[in-house]
Amino acid sequence: MASQALPYRPHNHQACVTQALADARAICRAQNARLTPTRERVLELIWQSHKPLGAYDVLAELTAEGQNAAPPTVYRALDFLQQHGLVHRIASLNAFIGCAHAGENHTGMFLICRSCGNVLELTAPGVSGAIEDAAKAESFKAEDVTLEIAGLCPRCQSETGHD
Amino acid sequence: MASQALPYRPHNHQACVTQALADARAICRAQNARLTPTRERVLELIWQSHKPLGAYDVLAELTAEGQNAAPPTVYRALDFLQQHGLVHRIASLNAFIGCAHAGENHTGMFLICRSCGNVLELTAPGVSGAIEDAAKAESFKAEDVTLEIAGLCPRCQSETGHD
DNA sequence: TCTGGAAATGTTATAATATTACAAATTTTC
DNA sequence: GAAAATTTGTAATATTATAACATTTCCAGA
Ligand SMILES: [Zn+2]
Ligand SMILES: [Zn+2]
Ligand SMILES: [Zn+2]
Ligand SMILES: [Zn+2]
């Protein structure tokens, strides 16, 4: 069996964060986009863990740090990060998570554990292909796909199984 | 080419509504669930068209009709209808639409036109299968799938093409 | 037909998420 | 350095959803 994906096992998460920030800087530089301090800090907060964070959770952190922040501060930063493919919004949770495939052209598919809250972002060509085919069969021009699967991650399945 | 799906062409929509209500009554009877007047009226309002309706749109209608309605009135009715598979919530729109496959065991896939607002609910076995495979590959136990495709419906594509 | 419990509804208040509008400051471009 | 564009500050408000508790309606069993 393949080793479990990152969110599902202990790992040096700081490495995830560092890598994500480095990627983000490179992507913004390449796109001539300004990763300002607030935007970068919001991205870092979003990457705090593999669990999605609500906009108002981000806001609370910024406020706690003494930043002069209001809802538009956060939503603007999140809009910027979304537009540059650095974070995703999870519609079924009204929350945001760092993109695990920033820079790659991809359709995110999210496995959301209802027990521990961790989210794994996948790129599944088979799924994307099947979706495109289904849309094409209806002559529908697909532009944006929201695909979110709620359930139990491997770790949480085994835990309940041991009760 | 196959004829276009219902939402995308003129049709006797009242027939859709009548059928949906008849199906709902049968399903509730079979499940020993009470399709009370408010619940039935909410379902009928949701079926008003093939465009999703917000909870507060429903509320406004009920109020206009002189019903003594508050947000919980609507959300309770919607919860009931969702639980019995009669309506779906579209997470990316915060809105609700009548289920086009009530009674069938299905995973809804929604094609949402960003221009006209119509939504087509599909059942695509190929897509469901691919999603299950992808989840299984991560040892993830999928329980609930949110699949919403935003784009342009056939009608709206041809209109923009003629500009 | 009474009656006790369950289910549904009424009512008020509030929580949680997101946007509008306009002013001020900063950065970039020329 | 001035004009233009972008970003940020600030206050108010819109939109979506839920909590909490009282009241009513329904229905099964006595
Ligand atoms: Zn991604
Ligand atoms: Zn889990
Ligand atoms: Zn359905
Ligand atoms: Zn359309």
Side-chain angles (χ1 to χ4, degrees):
Chain A
M1 156 186 169
S3 90
Q4 291 182 337
L6 269 187
Y8 304 148
R9 56 186 168 82
H11 63 284
N12 176 9
H13 184 65
Q14 186 53 49
C16 294
V17 178
T18 304
Q19 184 64 53
L21 289 179
D23 289 350
R25 286 188 205 103
I27 286 167
C28 287
R29 200 176 311 122
Q31 300 185 9
N32 217 9
R34 289 161 61 190
L35 189 62
T36 61
T38 298
R39 290 168 175 172
E40 184 168 330
R41 181 62 183 136
V42 169
L43 179 60
E44 192 176 10
L45 287 170
I46 292 285
W47 265 103
Q48 228 165 44
S49 75
H50 289 280
K51 305 177 192 193
L53 213 56
Y56 279 74
D57 297 328
V58 174
L59 178 57
E61 276 291 334
L62 292 180
T63 300
E65 293 171 3
Q67 262 210 46
N68 194 349
T73 311
V74 173
Y75 282 101
R76 282 168 183 157
L78 289 171
D79 283 351
F80 172 90
L81 295 169
Q82 279 185 271
Q83 254 150 26
H84 293 84
L86 302 173
V87 308
H88 293 285
R89 181 169 188 274
I90 307 292
S92 58
L93 299 177
N94 294 331
F96 301 82
I97 190 155
C99 175
H101 304 88
E104 304 168 32
N105 184 10
H106 68 291
T107 297
M109 162 173 173
F110 302 92
L111 303 183
I112 304 168
C113 180
R114 67 167 161 79
S115 173
C116 67
N118 281 310
V119 171
L120 170 62
E121 176 179 1
L122 291 181
T123 295
V127 174
S128 307
I131 289 172
E132 276 164 34
D133 291 348
K136 195 164 294 177
E138 297 290 341
S139 306
F140 187 93
K141 186 182 172 199
E143 292 173 346
D144 189 66
V145 174
T146 298
L147 177 49
E148 301 169 7
I149 325 284
L152 281 179
C153 79
R155 196 181 248 318
C156 291
Q157 281 169 62
S158 57
E159 274 172 19
T160 58
H162 290 166
D163 282 346
Chain B
M1 157 185 168
S3 89
Q4 291 182 338
L6 269 187
Y8 304 148
R9 56 184 167 84
H11 63 285
N12 176 9
H13 184 63
Q14 186 52 49
C16 293
V17 178
T18 304
Q19 183 64 54
L21 289 179
D23 289 351
R25 285 187 206 103
I27 287 166
C28 287
R29 200 177 311 123
Q31 299 185 10
N32 218 9
R34 290 163 59 191
L35 190 61
T36 61
T38 298
R39 288 167 175 173
E40 185 169 330
R41 181 62 183 135
V42 169
L43 180 59
E44 193 176 9
L45 287 170
I46 292 286
W47 266 103
Q48 226 165 47
S49 74
H50 290 280
K51 305 177 192 194
L53 213 56
Y56 280 75
D57 297 328
V58 174
L59 178 57
E61 277 290 335
L62 292 181
T63 300
E65 293 171 3
Q67 261 209 46
N68 194 350
T73 311
V74 173
Y75 282 101
R76 282 168 182 157
L78 289 171
D79 282 351
F80 172 90
L81 295 170
Q82 278 185 270
Q83 255 150 26
H84 293 84
L86 302 173
V87 308
H88 294 285
R89 180 169 188 275
I90 307 292
S92 58
L93 299 176
N94 295 331
F96 300 83
I97 191 157
C99 176
H101 304 88
E104 304 168 32
N105 184 11
H106 68 291
T107 296
M109 164 174 171
F110 301 92
L111 303 184
I112 304 167
C113 180
R114 67 167 162 79
S115 172
C116 67
N118 281 310
V119 170
L120 169 63
E121 176 179 0
L122 291 181
T123 295
V127 174
S128 306
I131 289 172
E132 276 164 34
D133 291 348
K136 194 165 291 177
E138 296 290 341
S139 307
F140 187 93
K141 185 183 174 200
E143 292 173 345
D144 188 66
V145 174
T146 298
L147 178 49
E148 301 168 6
I149 324 284
L152 281 179
C153 79
R155 196 183 248 316
C156 292
Q157 281 169 64
S158 57
E159 274 172 19
T160 59
H162 291 168
D163 281 348

